[in-house]
Amino acid sequence: MFETDVNVWNYVIGAYAVSWLTVIGYTLRLWVLNRRASRFAAELGGDV
Amino acid sequence: MQELKALSEERAPKWLIGLTAIAFMAVAGAQVFGFITSPAAEQYQHSQKIMYVHVPAAWNAFLAFIVVFWASLVYLWKRSEGADLLAESAAEVGAVFTGLTLLLGSIWGKWAWGVWWTWDPRLTSTAVLFIIFVGYLALRSFTEDPERRATWSAGVGIFGALNVPIVYMSVRWWRTLHQVQSSPETMSAEYVTALRVNGIAFLLLLVAVLGWRYRAARIQRRAEALHEEAILEGRQVHV
């Protein structure tokens, strides 16, 4: 049942790496979205 | 236009910046705590440590979809723009955490079961939940009219969130490979504290990312509304 021939730590480290990549990646997306929203407001403000 | 200028220069609230920093430190600290305090499990060896990210990610996804459910109902009842934006934000955050849950479960499953994926009731119902909310986000991006977008997505959001109890109970209702829900009654006592600590850290992260997502959505929508107002008032608009 278990893949005991493979070091379990490969899976543990892989799982934590995936978690941090997801969290950091999504945080970057949120940073971009917030910047884009502010710029959008600034552009529209310049139009009127 | 003063309001748009003020909106574009609006600074992020200090509490949100502080909460984000605390959440990141809490998640890192909780993971270190889990590694230090948890012995290898008899059957699952050190793969048990994947539980400290997999289970809190799933809890966060469920909580986010409960927010979608509540905010969608409030929108349909009161037609509140804020409720629609909160539902949209929570749906995206929930989809991210569901995707993460599936990925982590897949990694653990490969080690424990020897396969990356199996059509187990818990896995399948979670995948359905994920697909519904990816569809929800696609629906929002394809619908131009704000009122129609909000009404349709509130319907999909409520329908999608109704799947949360099905996913949660799937391990009890059907024969499944997946373990039953993690709780002090179903886990060894030596892992309960670490799971709780990681759960609280992830909860802080959930509030922080939801706050940032909502802020971006609110600024975008407010800018659109102010721009439209200016056009209707006949002020000069360069497009």
Side-chain angles (χ1 to χ4, degrees):
Chain A
M1 188 181 183
F2 299 103
E3 294 208 351
T4 46
D5 53 326
V6 182
N7 188 345
V8 66
W9 285 106
N10 290 345
Y11 288 87
V12 175
I13 291 165
Y16 277 79
V18 165
S19 301
W20 277 102
L21 282 173
T22 305
V23 169
I24 291 168
Y26 189 57
T27 305
L28 283 176
R29 169 178 156 74
L30 293 177
W31 181 73
V32 170
L33 277 181
N34 275 272
R35 258 177 78 94
R36 204 182 284 166
S38 295
R39 276 188 190 170
F40 179 65
E43 279 169 23
L44 294 185
D47 282 347
V48 290
Chain B
M1 193 179 183
Q2 284 306 310
E3 291 106 317
L4 276 168
K5 192 169 182 298
L7 191 64
S8 70
E9 289 169 358
E10 187 184 291
R11 289 187 172 259
K14 280 182 184 158
W15 70 265
L16 188 54
I17 296 169
L19 176 67
T20 309
I22 290 169
F24 269 85
M25 286 188 285
V27 170
Q31 291 180 355
V32 170
F33 179 78
F35 271 74
I36 292 172
T37 59
S38 308
E42 194 180 321
Q43 192 181 8
Y44 297 116
Q45 302 176 31
H46 286 292
S47 78
Q48 166 276 333
K49 288 172 179 60
I50 296 175
M51 176 178 74
Y52 298 143
V53 275
H54 175 67
V55 175
W59 286 345
N60 271 6
F62 288 166
L63 284 173
F65 294 141
I66 289 168
V67 172
V68 175
F69 181 78
W70 174 79
S72 300
L73 281 180
V74 170
Y75 176 78
L76 291 177
W77 182 33
K78 296 201 164 178
R79 299 283 155 182
S80 145
E81 191 180 76
D84 176 49
L85 296 180
L86 180 61
E88 176 192 24
S89 307
E92 184 181 291
V93 169
V96 169
F97 279 112
T98 310
L100 179 60
T101 303
L102 287 168
L103 278 173
L104 296 173
S106 179
I107 292 169
W108 183 84
K110 177 62 182 160
W111 185 80
W113 302 333
V115 288
W116 294 104
W117 180 261
T118 178
W119 294 104
D120 170 270
R122 169 56 77 87
L123 276 65
T124 308
S125 57
T126 308
V128 168
L129 187 68
F130 180 65
I131 290 165
I132 289 172
F133 278 96
V134 169
Y136 172 100
L137 295 170
L139 172 74
R140 290 195 73 98
S141 65
F142 293 143
T143 316
E144 293 259 328
D145 178 57
E147 274 188 32
R148 199 181 301 168
R149 178 173 59 210
T151 306
W152 288 357
S153 54
V156 177
I158 291 168
F159 167 74
L162 288 175
N163 279 278
V164 168
I166 297 174
V167 175
Y168 186 75
M169 293 306 295
S170 59
V171 288
R172 301 222 181 243
W173 288 344
W174 297 292
R175 285 165 62 91
T176 167
L177 268 174
H178 197 283
Q179 290 89 339
V180 291
Q181 299 98 335
S182 300
S183 73
E185 290 77 39
T186 60
M187 292 168 60
S188 304
E190 56 212 319
Y191 305 119
V192 172
T193 306
L195 181 60
R196 277 190 183 149
V197 168
N198 276 274
I200 291 166
F202 258 66
L203 182 62
L204 294 176
L205 190 65
L206 172 71
V207 177
V209 292
L210 194 54
W212 285 109
R213 184 65 187 83
Y214 180 78
R215 179 180 181 270
R218 185 184 54 78
I219 292 176
Q220 176 90 18
R221 182 69 61 85
R222 184 83 189 117
E224 284 168 358
L226 287 170
H227 192 242
E228 206 177 294
E229 223 171 82
I231 293 171
L232 290 173
E233 283 172 11
R235 273 177 266 170
Q236 192 182 4
V237 177
H238 310 286
V239 181

